[in-house]
Amino acid sequence: MNTIHFKTLTLIVGVCLGIVVGEVSGFASEVAAATMLLAVMQGALLLVGRRKLDAGRKNTISFITILFCIGLIIGIVRVQLVTEKTNFICEKSCTFEAKIISSPESKDAYQIFNVQPEGVEENILNVQLRTPLYPKYQIGETINISGKVNVPDVIPAHGEKKSFDYAMYLATRNVGSEMFYPKIEIIDSDTHTIKDILGRWKESLITRINNYVSAPENALASGMLFGDSSLSKETTQTFRTAGLSHIIVLSGFNIAVVISFVLFVFTFLPLVLRIILASGSVILFVMMVGGEASVIRATLMAFITLLATLLGRQYVAKQALIISLFLIVMYEPYALLHDVSLHLSFLATAGIVYLVEPFNKIFINISTHSLRELFVTTLSAYVATLPYIMYTFGTVSVYALIANILVLPFVPLAMLLSFIVVVMSYISNFLSSIFGILDTVIITFILRVAGVIEQLPMSSFTLSISFLGMCIMYISIVPFISYINNRKIENVTQENGMLTDV
């Protein structure tokens, strides 16, 4: 493992452990003080060891220990600096004004969106509303609400063995309470912030997709392109059973499309200006679609890529991944333990970054390069997320690997066609209709594959594991990677020896 990467990884592991200690332990300050003492002692040993020529290994261990201690202290301090927010609760019916701060998403028989109460004390978490499908509401509207406001219930994840802390999951999204079908009166429909304007624009772009892509394919097109979660409950369950849930959320491909489009359009500008414009466009895109964990991770990794390009440095995916995780948890420490989207996004990307190379060596006999790349990438993400899915949701999608191999080649094409439909809707209705038909055909294929996979025998079954079991599964991956890499080195050495003998 690269020395710089190992040192960075050590620091960030310490930060993550510090956040965990700061959140769950009542003795976080004492742990931080003891860690500080250990770091000082190791620093003294490091200074003494520099005077000895044979103390290189001990010095390395001391330096790694210091990095870990610094990370641990940073994590603990960051949690202690978090400003505590309170829930807006009203067990009996009450009336208050609020502003809609997220684009409403249509479900089977209702729409859901978040509001920010106005005229109340500071540091109040937002409220999530569930209302009938009509009338439609828009982001940025100020409304008068009457009804009960309650804390979200705990949702059983798989039987009686384990429960999902839905309230804490919402808290990572700055939501602390819920309202079901309250009485609503619109007070002001004007937009007042850039986020409101971008949110309204997103809603108009989704409408353009709906005009040219048939239903229910349009809901999947909007979900893949803008993160709109308007798929029906049945379709969502179908994708979950088939192991394809990840394609209906925003990913790095969305960011790549935005960056590529901007760099292409402004080819005539100097590289520095193009990168600045691309970065600004990505920021506006994230503000428009909302800051989900997957898109934030992808955005941070993209920014590191752009920075490396600007400085003429080599992009290292492993470094970019762990640095993006560090930035996310430093901004929102509680996401480390409670944000399922962050966990799945990070694990899937980590699987691709760390496991693709050893899997490539195992499946080297697959002669077709594109097929091997697709299979190995899919397998890497599947292996990296499976233990976490078994622990968190208690389910296993038996045919997820097959479903992903069949579907993933068409996902970028469907997203690109959806993007072209949006662009062409401003230019030509005829061209928009043509690309809309093509997009519908591709997405229909994706839906059909998911439906067929769901109908297969034993397509999904319940298999719950403990936290310890999950850790053991992940730890067992490390010697596997080491074994594959070492075996490759041995084979290369033997081949070189044979050549020498000849």
Side-chain angles (χ1 to χ4, degrees), residues 103-215:
S103 296
E105 296 180 344
S106 299
K107 303 297 183 180
D108 293 324
Y110 61 90
Q111 57 182 320
I112 189 168
F113 52 90
N114 299 333
V115 300
Q116 185 178 57
E118 296 184 343
V120 296
E121 61 181 283
E122 296 183 356
N123 298 324
I124 290 290
L125 291 170
N126 300 321
V127 182
Q128 188 175 88
L129 268 63
R130 183 178 297 187
T131 70
L133 285 174
Y134 300 98
K136 294 290 186 181
Y137 299 100
Q138 291 183 301
I139 186 173
E141 290 182 333
T142 301
I143 56 179
N144 191 67
I145 313 173
S146 297
K148 296 181 180 180
V149 187
N150 299 311
V151 175
D153 295 328
V154 173
I155 298 178
H158 33 90
E160 299 297 327
K161 296 182 179 180
K162 189 173 181 291
S163 295
F164 177 57
D165 194 347
Y166 183 59
M168 198 63 199
Y169 170 76
L170 288 179
T172 62
R173 285 154 173 73
N174 205 37
V175 174
S177 51
E178 294 179 310
M179 294 186 75
F180 295 92
Y181 304 101
K183 181 181 178 181
I184 299 177
E185 178 185 357
I186 299 176
I187 300 175
D188 182 10
S189 296
D190 295 333
T191 56
H192 301 283
T193 65
I194 295 178
K195 182 180 178 181
D196 296 342
I197 295 173
L198 292 172
R200 294 280 181 94
W201 188 33
K202 169 190 169 182
E203 293 170 2
S204 70
L205 296 179
I206 291 175
T207 300
R208 290 176 181 272
I209 290 179
N210 294 339
N211 290 337
Y212 297 103
V213 180
S214 302

Side-chain angles (χ1 to χ4, degrees), residues 202-471:
K202 169 190 169 182
E203 293 170 2
S204 70
L205 296 179
I206 291 175
T207 300
R208 290 176 181 272
I209 290 179
N210 294 339
N211 290 337
Y212 297 103
V213 180
S214 302
E217 288 80 5
N218 56 1
L220 182 55
S222 300
M224 290 190 296
L225 198 58
F226 298 114
D228 183 62
S229 304
S230 297
L231 285 172
S232 66
K233 184 177 180 180
E234 290 77 12
T235 304
T236 302
Q237 182 58 44
T238 296
F239 275 82
R240 186 178 295 117
T241 302
L244 295 170
S245 298
H246 58 94
I247 74 170
I248 60 179
V249 298
L250 295 173
S251 64
F253 186 77
N254 304 73
I255 305 300
V257 168
V258 174
I259 293 176
S260 300
F261 180 75
V262 174
L263 294 179
F264 173 76
V265 171
F266 296 99
T267 307
F268 57 91
L269 293 177
L271 178 62
V272 175
L273 292 180
R274 283 191 290 154
I275 288 179
I276 293 175
L277 286 173
S279 302
S281 300
V282 168
I283 292 173
L284 293 177
F285 177 77
V286 173
M287 291 176 62
M288 180 177 70
V289 301
E292 287 292 325
S294 57
V295 73
I296 293 295
R297 177 203 52 77
T299 300
L300 292 173
M301 293 184 71
F303 282 162
I304 295 173
T305 306
L306 291 174
L307 182 61
T309 302
L310 184 62
L311 298 177
R313 303 290 295 274
Q314 183 181 4
Y315 171 73
V316 181
K318 294 177 181 178
Q319 287 287 89
L321 176 63
I322 59 177
I323 290 174
S324 64
L325 175 65
F326 170 75
L327 295 175
I328 290 173
V329 298
M330 287 301 290
Y331 176 76
E332 179 51 77
Y334 292 148
L336 180 64
L337 287 179
H338 305 287
D339 195 336
V340 177
S341 299
L342 172 63
H343 300 162
L344 289 173
S345 175
F346 175 79
L347 288 171
T349 308
I352 294 172
V353 168
Y354 289 96
L355 296 179
V356 162
E357 185 176 353
F359 278 142
N360 259 323
K361 296 172 183 177
I362 294 175
F363 298 101
I364 192 67
N365 292 328
I366 300 178
S367 56
T368 306
H369 175 73
S370 57
L371 179 60
R372 184 173 71 247
E373 184 179 3
L374 173 62
F375 176 77
V376 166
T377 302
T378 305
L379 179 62
S380 300
Y382 181 75
V383 170
T385 55
L386 181 60
Y388 180 79
I389 292 174
M390 293 168 62
Y391 166 71
T392 305
F393 304 108
T395 59
V396 175
S397 298
V398 178
Y399 308 107
L401 189 59
I402 298 174
N404 279 274
I405 291 174
L406 293 174
V407 164
L408 286 184
F410 297 93
V411 171
L413 179 59
M415 294 172 64
L416 184 59
L417 287 172
S418 301
F419 179 76
I420 294 175
V421 167
V422 171
V423 174
M424 288 299 171
S425 66
Y426 289 96
I427 301 173
S428 168
N429 288 332
F430 174 75
L431 292 176
S432 297
S433 300
I434 296 299
F435 283 108
I437 292 172
L438 294 175
D439 198 19
T440 300
V441 171
I442 297 297
I443 296 178
T444 299
F445 172 77
I446 295 174
L447 292 172
R448 293 287 174 82
V449 170
V452 170
I453 293 294
E454 184 186 28
Q455 298 303 318
L456 293 177
M458 292 290 292
S459 58
S460 179
F461 63 89
T462 300
L463 180 60
S464 176
I465 62 174
S466 64
F467 179 78
L468 178 61
M470 180 185 69
C471 292

Side-chain angles (χ1 to χ4, degrees), residues 5-76:
H5 175 63
F6 180 72
K7 292 176 181 177
T8 307
L9 185 62
T10 301
L11 177 67
I12 295 177
V13 168
V15 171
C16 293
L17 182 59
I19 290 175
V20 174
V21 171
E23 184 175 350
V24 304
S25 174
F27 303 96
S29 299
E30 289 79 0
V31 172
T35 304
M36 177 67 76
L37 180 60
L38 176 61
V40 171
M41 293 173 59
Q42 290 295 323
L45 291 175
L46 186 61
L47 291 175
V48 173
R50 282 183 175 178
R51 301 176 182 176
K52 299 180 180 180
L53 296 177
D54 60 342
R57 190 170 186 179
K58 294 181 179 179
N59 290 347
T60 301
I61 295 174
S62 295
F63 184 72
I64 294 298
T65 304
I66 292 172
L67 281 178
F68 179 79
C69 292
I70 291 174
L72 188 67
I73 294 170
I74 290 174
I76 293 174

